[in-house]
Amino acid sequence: MSLKRIWAMFMARNYEFFRDKAAFGWNFAFPFLIIVGFGVMFGKHDIKQFNIGVFPADTPAAVFHDSTIPKSLETNKRLQFLPFAHRSEGEMKLRHHKIDLLIDKTSSSHSYWINDSSPNGYLAEQIYLASFLPKDTQWARKQVVPGEPVRYIDWFFPGVIAMNMMFSALWGVGYVVVRYRKNGTLKRLKATPLTAFEYVSAQMLSRIFLLMFTLTVVWIGSDLIFHFRVHGSYLLIFFLFFLGGLNLCGMGLVLAARGTSEEFTSGVLNFISWPMMFLSEVWFSLEGAPKWVHTVSEIFPLTHLLAAVRKVMNDGATLTAVRTDILFLIITTIIFLIIAALIFSWND
Amino acid sequence: MLQDPILEIINLKKVFHKTEAVKDVSFSVRKGTCFGLLGPNGAGKTTTLEVIEDILPKTSGRILYRGQERNSSFREEIGIQFQHTSLLNFLSVKETLQTFHKLFHNPVDLDELIERCDLQPLLNRMNNKLSGGQQQRLMVALALINRPELIFFDEPSTGLDPQARRNLWAIIERIKDEGKTLILTTHSMEEAEFLCDEIAIMDGGTIIAQGSPNALISTYCNGSTIILPRYAFGTDLNDIPFTWRIREDTIEIDTDNIHAGLTRMLNLDIDLSKMLVRSGNLEDVFLHLTGKQLRD
């Protein structure tokens, strides 16, 4: 193995990435835009979770005017009231899940309509029915969870970073290698003493360098806006992302080790990345999902990366607490690298 | 005195799935010469070359370099200019040369290489901004970067304009003058005649004739060809007592005796005012051997 050759290929790939302005810019813009978008959407405290249609009413101000709707419903900060002049308009919106509940504000029997296939409709109905109970009724004793609550953005942020890392690693390594094989760049390199192991190592190292660079810039940029709450060690989080990035690059190399069709490789990369994105809790928690879903999610490196990073970031976990995830990432990375080097083909 | 062969190919065979691309090919290349594989597209030239270069695995046969089977150092001692290849995007010519320079144990001095391949004005230009001829010069430079003794050129001038082709030939000539051994594939008889000391004509995966360009021409096409416009013939073409063929607007007539041929045509009252006469060439050799043209 020659470090000089690995270094030469590492530098060549870095030049390519930093000079491809479109790809370079997108690597930063994509995660940043997603974080900002979700931050704006979920950052507000008075978010409206249910849409209630009311008729007959022409304006929002007319919704509670001369109405039989209980006052307690009007003051519920999670509800948004939408006026409809006629019942038929409201029914149309209800049928298409645009609103969760429709109320006749003039009905003495408090008539309402719901869409039976809407989960939100059921919850909105319960809120509506509860609003008729006397104000001081004590059903159960309310208590607030102790300690500092984890904001959605603090839970969500590592997911976006990891997702960006996954796409960047799989496409930036896997797809590029297939393209190089197809256009003969790899064949040109095969005519040199460069070995497959040296080549895949250089590709992995180059991509991990770029991933960590991107991570640092996006993290700092996002932190200036959202002021993330990090309870654990920044160094440990950085190390976990480094391991995760290396692992995903290795996976990309395995998928691209022999492929010659960009279209087919793109399909395979999608086939791997989309389930991984949905089952690794990038966007939402799998709490309550069937056991087999959890079992399947355990085979994805992204699951272990995210679980470990969130434990460190949100719960202040230490290296020892996330050692199982770290071990999984290290072992699978080594396996990926060995497989990629063994089955790697230079030619189409 | 003839030099020992630097490369010997013995009964080489290459099969892709069920297609036999190279069938029992044998030849040897003497040190310091330029050996050409001449043939039409699909003849098996590139496959033969890539098997010898160790880019493709052989199916059977032997490839001896300096009298021995190729070993791990073979790749350090050869230079390759591929027909279909690409370079890393977003790298300048200088950076490309520097990158490949680091991949070899005993590379040449870069300044010397840049001068040799006339790359000085292009050093800061990105690879994807080079013209066809400039790209080929860079490819030749990469093929020479490790001081190779044996250099392979696969269709070096394909797609180049006449000026760029002449420039490339001049570079290849200089390499030849340094005593390097060259193997090139081409479907251009002009290129083969200009650059090669010895030629193997390939068709359908086999070598059908081998020798120096002059020897091949004198063996297979020792006569001349009279070229006339079609309108010059008032007579029935079947009355012409020579081998002839129609080529677009002209008719080509082969004769071993130019004097007798011309006398006969004058007797047939054929208009010879627009006549051209040329001696045989490698294209005629190929036509003679296979019944088809090189550019088919």
Side-chain angles (χ1 to χ4, degrees):
Chain A
M1 189 179 74
S2 159
L3 289 177
K4 194 173 97 172
R5 290 197 290 259
I6 292 176
W7 178 252
M9 294 316 299
F10 169 80
M11 289 306 291
R13 186 72 190 104
N14 288 353
Y15 280 138
E16 281 196 300
F17 179 79
F18 282 105
R19 286 173 185 169
D20 184 355
K21 290 186 176 60
F24 180 71
W26 184 242
N27 263 277
F28 293 100
F30 178 61
F32 192 71
L33 288 174
I34 289 182
I35 292 160
V36 169
F38 274 79
V40 169
M41 274 195 288
F42 298 110
K44 293 184 291 183
H45 294 294
D46 57 345
I47 189 164
K48 307 289 186 191
Q49 287 174 341
F50 298 99
N51 292 322
I52 314 292
V54 178
F55 74 90
D58 293 323
T59 60
V63 165
F64 297 103
H65 187 67
D66 285 339
S67 104
T68 59
I69 299 172
K71 199 72 181 166
S72 61
L73 200 70
E74 186 184 344
T75 54
N76 190 322
K77 63 183 180 182
R78 299 291 173 201
L79 305 181
Q80 173 154 301
F81 294 93
L82 304 165
F84 294 101
H86 306 286
R87 183 177 131 190
S88 57
E89 286 175 37
E91 282 179 340
M92 179 65 81
K93 296 285 182 185
L94 198 58
R95 193 171 295 121
H96 291 95
H97 300 266
K98 302 286 186 189
I99 59 174
D100 305 306
L101 182 79
L102 181 66
I103 300 173
D104 180 354
K105 74 170 201 172
T106 60
S107 166
S108 57
S109 60
H110 305 290
S111 298
Y112 66 95
W113 288 257
I114 63 163
N115 181 338
D116 260 345
S117 64
S118 161
N120 270 2
Y122 173 76
L123 294 172
E125 180 187 16
Q126 298 307 310
I127 293 168
Y128 181 53
L129 295 176
S131 71
F132 291 101
L133 295 169
K135 196 183 173 192
D136 298 327
T137 308
Q138 278 286 343
W139 290 94
R141 194 156 64 95
K142 176 183 173 181
Q143 294 187 83
V144 176
V145 67
E148 196 181 1
V150 176
R151 297 177 307 165
Y152 180 68
I153 195 77
D154 295 325
W155 183 88
F156 177 66
F157 177 67
V160 174
I161 293 288
M163 180 187 69
N164 188 54
M165 202 169 237
M166 175 186 73
F167 283 123
S168 182
L170 292 182
W171 262 264
V173 176
Y175 195 78
V176 167
V177 167
V178 171
R179 197 180 68 212
Y180 282 169
R181 184 177 294 114
K182 198 174 168 184
N183 69 16
T185 306
L186 291 189
K187 189 162 85 173
R188 187 66 201 77
L189 291 170
K190 192 189 179 185
T192 71
L194 185 73
T195 65
F197 184 79
E198 287 164 357
Y199 180 75
V200 297
S201 301
Q203 290 297 308
M204 262 177 93
L205 291 174
S206 164
R207 185 48 58 163
I208 196 66
F209 168 71
L210 303 170
L211 287 175
M212 299 318 288
F213 179 76
T214 312
L215 164 77
T216 308
V217 172
V218 173
W219 188 299
I220 292 170
S222 305
D223 196 40
L224 288 173
I225 302 170
F226 298 109
H227 310 290
F228 298 121
R229 292 167 193 163
V230 178
H231 296 276
S233 154
Y234 274 99
L235 201 63
L236 183 53
I237 291 172
F238 194 83
F239 173 67
L240 285 167
F241 273 120
F242 175 81
L243 265 186
L246 216 53
N247 187 290
L248 292 162
C249 290
M251 183 187 275
L253 280 168
V254 171
L255 295 174
R258 298 197 81 86
T260 55
S261 157
E262 285 152 301
E263 290 77 14
F264 177 74
T265 304
S266 184
V268 172
L269 292 174
N270 276 317
F271 181 73
I272 298 287
S273 59
W274 284 87
M276 191 146 71
M277 186 168 68
F278 285 115
L279 296 180
S280 297
E281 301 192 315
V282 168
W283 301 97
F284 45 79
S285 166
L286 287 180
E287 210 61 49
K291 192 170 184 306
W292 68 266
V293 175
H294 285 275
T295 309
V296 171
S297 78
E298 287 294 312
I299 64 170
F300 295 125
L302 201 65
T303 306
H304 295 272
L305 166 64
L306 267 176
V309 169
R310 281 179 177 145
K311 273 184 230 166
V312 177
M313 188 171 165
N314 302 144
D315 306 331
T318 60
L319 181 72
T320 319
V322 293
R323 65 182 183 282
T324 316
D325 296 309
I326 289 176
L327 204 62
F328 177 91
L329 290 172
I330 291 173
I331 291 169
T332 48
T333 302
I334 293 168
I335 292 171
F336 287 150
L337 188 58
I338 290 171
I339 293 174
L342 286 177
I343 67 171
F344 188 80
S345 164
W346 300 92
N347 297 11
D348 57 13
Chain B
M1 188 179 137
L2 288 178
Q3 292 263 21
D4 286 339
I6 191 169
L7 188 74
E8 289 170 88
I9 311 302
I10 304 160
N11 304 122
L12 186 67
K13 193 182 276 190
K14 175 65 186 173
V15 180
F16 291 108
H17 304 292
K18 288 179 181 172
T19 308
E20 210 175 355
V22 179
K23 304 169 187 170
D24 209 25
V25 162
S26 298
F27 63 87
S28 59
V29 180
R30 282 177 292 117
K31 192 174 183 310
T33 61
C34 179
F35 185 92
L37 285 170
L38 179 68
N41 292 330
K45 309 184 298 289
T46 297
T47 306
T48 304
L49 216 61
E50 291 192 351
V51 171
I52 298 169
E53 292 159 353
D54 200 22
I55 296 297
L56 292 173
K58 66 187 179 191
T59 303
S60 63
R62 297 184 72 196
I63 299 165
L64 303 181
Y65 175 65
R66 296 184 191 278
Q68 293 180 327
E69 291 287 349
R70 296 164 304 172
N71 55 30
S72 55
S73 67
F74 180 67
R75 206 161 277 172
E76 286 275 1
E77 294 182 32
I78 63 166
I80 304 175
Q81 179 265 316
F82 290 104
Q83 182 184 357
H84 298 295
T85 189
S86 188
L87 292 164
L88 297 163
N89 291 323
F90 302 104
L91 253 67
S92 68
V93 168
K94 188 177 179 182
E95 288 159 351
T96 303
L97 289 168
Q98 286 170 338
T99 300
F100 277 81
H101 195 259
K102 290 191 183 90
L103 299 181
F104 290 94
H105 290 123
N106 184 27
V108 289
D109 178 67
L110 269 188
D111 292 334
E112 186 190 305
L113 183 67
I114 288 162
E115 193 187 327
R116 217 162 135 196
C117 296
D118 195 18
L119 291 171
Q120 189 64 44
L122 308 173
L123 286 181
N124 294 319
R125 195 170 297 179
M126 291 290 147
N127 291 336
N128 52 2
K129 304 283 181 202
L130 298 176
S131 70
Q134 291 165 342
Q135 254 185 36
Q136 283 298 56
R137 268 153 48 204
L138 175 57
M139 293 297 186
V140 171
L142 294 181
L144 299 175
I145 208 159
N146 55 322
R147 304 176 195 274
E149 278 305 312
L150 177 62
I151 306 153
F152 297 88
F153 293 96
D154 193 2
E155 306 267 4
S157 64
T158 298
L160 300 187
D161 61 51
Q163 175 71 40
R165 184 182 303 143
R166 287 279 161 189
N167 290 342
L168 187 69
W169 288 357
I171 293 173
I172 295 175
E173 280 272 272
R174 285 204 295 272
I175 299 166
K176 209 173 128 183
D177 291 343
E178 289 166 15
K180 307 279 186 188
T181 309
L182 314 182
I183 301 181
L184 68 87
T185 71
T186 181
H187 59 244
S188 158
M189 53 113 188
E190 192 190 356
E191 187 164 80
E193 279 184 41
F194 186 81
L195 294 172
C196 298
D197 302 306
E198 188 160 1
I199 288 166
I201 296 178
M202 281 192 84
D203 189 38
T206 57
I207 290 178
I208 54 175
Q210 190 175 332
S212 70
N214 287 339
L216 286 169
I217 291 165
S218 63
T219 305
Y220 296 104
C221 299
N222 202 18
S224 302
T225 302
I226 301 166
I227 304 166
L228 286 161
R230 288 184 72 169
Y231 65 77
F233 288 83
T235 181
D236 186 348
L237 286 168
N238 291 322
D239 291 341
I240 302 170
F242 305 105
T243 308
W244 54 267
R245 59 190 166 271
I246 297 172
R247 287 251 178 110
E248 295 182 1
D249 295 335
T250 60
I251 291 173
E252 294 184 0
I253 298 155
D254 297 329
T255 173
D256 292 339
N257 186 331
I258 187 73
H259 185 263
L262 290 174
T263 307
R264 181 76 178 126
M265 277 192 277
L266 281 170
N267 290 339
L268 288 168
D269 203 23
I270 293 169
D271 178 9
L272 300 181
S273 59
K274 300 287 181 189
M275 177 187 71
L276 287 172
V277 178
R278 66 165 176 80
S279 51
N281 59 31
L282 288 171
E283 191 139 2
D284 298 320
V285 173
F286 189 79
L287 185 69
H288 176 86
L289 290 167
T290 67
K292 55 190 180 186
Q293 290 176 17
L294 259 172
R295 291 183 182 86
D296 280 352

